[in-house]
Amino acid sequence: MSNRRNQATPLVAGTGTIVHGDCTELLAQKSFPLVDLVHTSPPYNIDKPYQDYTDKLHLSDYLKFVSRVARLLSEKMRSGASLFWQTGYTQASPNSDEINPIDVLTFPLFKEHGLYLKDRIIWRYYGGMSFKSKFKNQHETILWYVKGDPENPTVQPYFNIDAVRETSREHDPRNNLLGRNPGNVWQVDRVAYGSIEQTSHIAVFPEEVTERIIRACSRPGDTVLDPFLGSGTVAKVAKSLGRSYLGIELSRGYYEESVRRLGYQQLGELDTVLSWLLKNFLLGSRRRASREDCRFYFRQLLRARPTNIEARLSEWCRAFTGVDDVPKKEKPKLWAMGDEFLKSISSPRTGHLGLLSNIAAAYLNNYKLAKWFNGLRIGLIAHGLQQEIEPVLKSDRKMESVLDRIVEGEPSSYESKHKGNVVLLKQGERRVKAGVARRRIKEAPSATEPVLF
Ligand SMILES: C[S@@+](CC[C@H](N)C(=O)[O-])C[C@H]1O[C@@H](n2cnc3c(N)ncnc32)[C@H](O)[C@@H]1O
């Protein structure tokens, strides 16, 4: 490794840190903190044209590299912590027809370092490279490893199935009210060219994949690590879900891009929803607003009269004590209410509906996985957020501090002007085009500060 790779620059944003550097060196630091969850996709050794990294090692060197990373990660994972290692296939030799399945080849390396395999998830996508001589490749594997504990052999990873339930196909009274258990084949579209998730990185994985992992396998406040951060997807999603994040990226350009991308993301679900409402209904049409305008808008939202369906759903959410208490015969009626609610918020007139509908629409727009949630779940989530938001909107003082938090929490989107009295929505591309990213790399100051955790 070159010396330049020893040098790293940290960015501390919200409760997270992302670092420009080499993960094999940074993870080896004694003071690197322990983490609760790792989700990562390393280079696959398939000669991808990354910036500052050659993705074409001899297979034996690649396996040594993976073994080293597995050991370092295992040392930094708490007992019972989960590691989701996303990987694919590599050619056995240049121009060869034979492939090496990386997950199979590397499996013993993880086991050797105290990480046992709990599940093997298939990420299935449409598209993919076409071949004339064989089938199109349309999947990747995500290996779920757990850090075992010899002193506590029964240690179990944290897993919250309720956080990731999918809407059931039928409203059968035997089904769970919150939805069905997801399986281990995930059908998720790849990041399409021109989509909002696209960056200059060549291997961005979809937010929906990491969202499911973070929701199911960590609690708010837990630390989520991606040692091969790329364009920052894991850190961005962890931030949006109120987790603490750590990310390491070797390439200066991708690191810079991650910094900017995280700057478009609020910390936690509540601020994510509030920021979306501001952007879409107030700043969307005028780009700048005084603090007074922002307060006025939020107060109007608070006063909007709920529709019949919102009022019924709110009442039910207030009375709801838990799925186990709902009699089977009640369920179809409740699901129908949830369906009606989802239909009402999908209309373009959401802005004119009450607070509950607006929160639900903001949530659905921000969280990719939420499209799998049934209407009752969305209603319950929106109701929970509404309970938190209402006291804020009723107090000028609290609203001021929330506005400060929103502006500071998303520096790529907002700016304060005129002694902080004006909130300005920054213009510009949310996506980073490849050419722009490359220009920025040339302009970026070189990193000089070594990071010590
Ligand atoms: C498959 S990509 C990850 C893409 C990422 N999941 C995303 O959504 O953008 C692997 C990344 O690892 C980076 N990388 C390679 N070796 C590294 C190392 N030793 N330390 C940190 N990052 C490294 C590469 O520059 C590349 O951006």
Side-chain angles (χ1 to χ4, degrees):
M1 298 280 165
S2 72
N3 272 344
R4 191 175 47 73
R5 290 180 182 172
N6 283 329
Q7 299 170 335
T9 316
L11 169 95
V12 179
T15 60
T17 305
I18 63 173
V19 176
H20 170 219
D22 182 334
C23 67
T24 58
E25 287 161 16
L26 291 163
L27 286 167
Q29 289 182 7
K30 273 207 173 66
S31 48
F32 193 96
L34 290 181
V35 302
D36 303 286
L37 173 66
V38 185
H39 178 204
T40 197
S41 71
Y44 296 0
N45 211 29
I46 47 177
D47 201 12
K48 279 225 172 196
Y50 292 121
Q51 301 162 357
D52 306 341
Y53 174 80
T54 310
D55 187 32
K56 200 180 175 184
L57 301 176
H58 191 276
L59 184 61
S60 61
D61 290 332
Y62 181 70
L63 295 180
K64 271 190 216 146
F65 170 70
V66 173
S67 175
R68 186 163 175 219
V69 176
R71 175 176 58 78
L72 291 168
L73 287 176
S74 177
E75 284 168 9
K76 298 303 177 194
M77 286 162 68
R78 286 185 209 283
S79 137
S82 292
L83 158 66
F84 288 78
W85 184 267
Q86 186 158 333
T87 191
Y89 299 90
T90 184
Q91 263 170 299
S93 57
N95 307 322
S96 158
D97 198 30
E98 186 185 348
I99 58 161
N100 286 325
I102 309 176
D103 57 349
V104 177
L105 292 176
T106 55
F107 164 71
L109 310 175
F110 289 87
K111 206 170 159 86
E112 193 185 313
H113 297 301
L115 296 159
Y116 71 84
L117 187 64
K118 186 176 169 81
D119 205 351
R120 189 163 182 260
I121 295 152
I122 303 295
W123 167 32
R124 191 248 196 261
Y125 48 81
Y126 285 114
M129 199 195 282
S130 297
F131 301 94
K132 280 201 171 142
S133 57
K134 63 173 183 175
F135 302 109
K136 238 186 216 188
N137 185 38
Q138 292 195 312
H139 77 279
E140 286 194 3
T141 52
I142 306 174
L143 301 191
W144 177 3
Y145 289 103
V146 176
K147 165 91 177 272
D149 185 347
E151 284 171 21
N152 179 9
T154 54
V155 70
Q156 284 286 321
Y158 175 76
F159 187 60
N160 179 7
I161 188 74
D162 287 341
V164 290
R165 285 186 183 279
E166 295 174 358
T167 188
S168 312
R169 241 189 260 180
E170 310 285 338
H171 288 333
D172 183 320
R174 287 168 301 182
N175 291 345
N176 186 298
L177 198 66
L178 300 180
R180 66 177 174 188
N181 295 26
N184 60 3
V185 177
W186 300 352
Q187 171 73 49
V188 178
D189 286 346
R190 292 196 305 175
V191 175
Y193 183 76
S195 88
I196 195 85
E197 286 184 51
Q198 195 207 353
T199 75
S200 76
H201 199 281
I202 46 174
V204 185
F205 53 52
E207 291 181 18
E208 191 178 326
V209 169
T210 197
E211 192 188 326
R212 190 191 300 259
I213 291 169
I214 294 174
R215 278 186 192 281
C217 296
S218 69
R219 305 166 179 89
D222 276 358
T223 303
V224 181
L225 164 71
D226 185 349
F228 299 99
L229 187 65
S231 60
T233 313
V234 169
K236 178 178 182 291
V237 176
K239 185 181 178 190
S240 86
L241 295 171
R243 270 63 168 175
S244 188
Y245 52 86
L246 284 172
I248 305 170
E249 172 52 47
L250 188 64
S251 144
R252 178 81 197 170
Y254 297 146
Y255 162 76
E256 293 276 319
E257 185 163 347
S258 304
V259 173
R260 188 154 171 263
R261 201 165 163 223
L262 274 169
Y264 284 118
Q265 183 59 60
Q266 291 288 339
L267 175 68
E269 300 185 34
L270 182 77
D271 289 1
T272 299
V273 162
L274 286 172
S275 170
W276 188 87
L277 291 173
L278 259 192
K279 280 184 195 165
N280 279 276
F281 296 123
L282 179 70
L283 293 163
S285 50
R286 48 167 115 173
R287 280 197 56 236
R288 74 169 58 220
S290 68
R291 292 265 178 156
E292 185 48 41
D293 292 335
C294 296
R295 287 196 299 269
F296 180 76
Y297 162 70
F298 277 138
R299 233 174 263 124
Q300 289 292 96
L301 201 59
L302 191 63
R303 287 194 195 118
R305 252 202 20 218
T307 62
N308 184 28
I309 172 74
E310 280 175 73
R312 272 195 292 136
L313 192 62
S314 286
E315 199 182 316
W316 177 77
C317 291
R318 263 196 301 276
F320 178 75
T321 47
V323 278
D324 299 337
D325 300 327
V326 176
K328 273 192 186 152
K329 62 175 181 4
E330 292 284 309
K331 290 184 187 174
K333 205 169 63 195
L334 294 174
W335 280 317
M337 182 164 74
D339 290 348
E340 200 188 332
F341 178 63
L342 273 192
K343 215 160 89 198
S344 72
I345 62 172
S346 62
S347 91
R349 294 186 61 253
T350 316
H352 303 282
L353 297 173
L355 186 57
L356 192 79
S357 295
N358 277 292
I359 294 172
Y363 197 82
L364 273 169
N365 267 286
N366 280 281
Y367 292 101
K368 310 284 175 302
L369 201 68
K371 69 171 187 269
W372 292 102
F373 298 172
N374 68 31
L376 275 190
R377 284 270 304 287
I378 293 290
L380 273 168
I381 292 167
H383 179 74
L385 291 170
Q386 185 177 7
Q387 303 295 97
E388 283 187 67
I389 288 173
E390 268 177 358
V392 172
L393 302 191
K394 280 180 183 155
S395 144
D396 272 359
R397 194 179 46 80
K398 285 190 186 144
M399 217 191 307
E400 271 309 311
S401 73
V402 165
L403 278 173
D404 284 341
R405 218 167 62 203
I406 287 179
V407 172
E408 283 160 23
E410 221 182 303
S412 303
S413 301
Y414 297 110
E415 241 178 302
S416 269
K417 284 268 155 107
H418 307 300
K419 296 193 180 131
N421 284 334
V422 170
V423 175
L424 184 77
L425 186 63
K426 284 189 191 170
Q427 222 167 15
E429 269 286 316
R430 205 184 151 92
R431 284 179 282 114
V432 185
K433 290 182 188 130
V436 177
R438 269 194 290 276
R439 225 172 24 248
R440 213 167 329 103
I441 300 158
K442 281 197 208 131
E443 290 160 7
S446 59
T448 49
E449 299 277 314
V451 172
L452 291 174
F453 285 95

